[in-house]
Amino acid sequence: MFLVGLGDMSATTWIVVIGAGLVLGLLISRRNPNNKDQIVDLKAEDFRANMRKGQLIDIRREDAYKSERINGSRNFPKRSLLQNLFKLRADQAIFLVADNDRGQVKSIARKLIKKGYHPVYVLVGGIKEWPYQLKK
């Protein structure tokens, strides 16, 4: 019934329709249902409970890091982190600490994910919202 008008389609039209279907199918199949390539915001309690399971990276300026930091963290100021990726392990989660949880820390997290580092966790509120003892 509905196939009656389809006989009038040219071979080029059929190729375009089939090609579009294949491309759409490929895009759908490549989607990641687990969505492991996203930034995960963690509150201080959850961040603290899990941070030893990965790499704790503080992306604040060196002077801010030296004045106070979370014990066990390594300092890679924002600009130097992407130049020192060889110092990070791609097989471990990355826990990012910054002054806050907006702007540059999210940008750095997205870049790390694009480079194949995942999962990436960000401390909600940044170091200012850390209720636990800091190393000075």
Side-chain angles (χ1 to χ4, degrees):
M1 294 185 214
F2 65 93
L3 297 176
V4 173
L6 294 180
D8 298 337
M9 293 176 65
S10 68
T12 306
T13 306
W14 276 108
I15 291 172
V16 170
V17 169
I18 292 171
L22 289 173
V23 168
L24 182 62
L26 180 64
L27 290 174
I28 290 171
S29 69
R30 304 277 262 150
R31 263 186 28 183
N32 187 353
N34 297 335
N35 212 4
K36 68 179 180 182
D37 294 341
Q38 75 178 32
I39 301 166
V40 180
D41 294 322
L42 292 179
K43 292 183 180 176
E45 184 177 319
D46 295 328
F47 194 89
R48 183 179 188 209
N50 292 294
M51 68 186 188
R52 301 291 178 223
K53 298 175 184 172
Q55 305 164 89
L56 182 55
I57 308 296
D58 191 322
I59 63 169
R60 297 176 300 141
R61 291 186 331 267
E62 189 174 353
D63 58 333
Y65 175 79
K66 285 183 177 179
S67 70
E68 61 181 10
R69 62 188 175 273
I70 297 174
N71 193 25
S73 64
R74 293 186 291 162
N75 183 234
F76 291 100
K78 297 169 189 167
R79 291 185 177 95
S80 73
L81 179 61
L82 297 175
Q83 297 165 353
N84 290 297
L85 288 178
F86 65 94
K87 295 181 180 179
L88 300 179
R89 292 182 54 177
D91 63 331
Q92 288 186 346
I94 295 181
F95 292 82
L96 292 178
V97 177
D99 291 320
N100 57 49
D101 62 349
R102 296 188 189 103
Q104 288 233 294
V105 70
K106 297 289 187 173
S107 174
I108 295 284
R110 280 191 297 275
K111 289 176 183 175
L112 286 170
I113 288 169
K114 283 183 182 178
K115 299 282 185 183
Y117 295 88
H118 47 75
V120 177
Y121 300 99
V122 174
L123 175 61
V124 171
I127 196 84
K128 295 173 184 171
E129 298 294 322
W130 187 253
Y132 307 105
Q133 185 175 359
L134 293 169
K135 185 175 181 178
K136 297 186 187 250

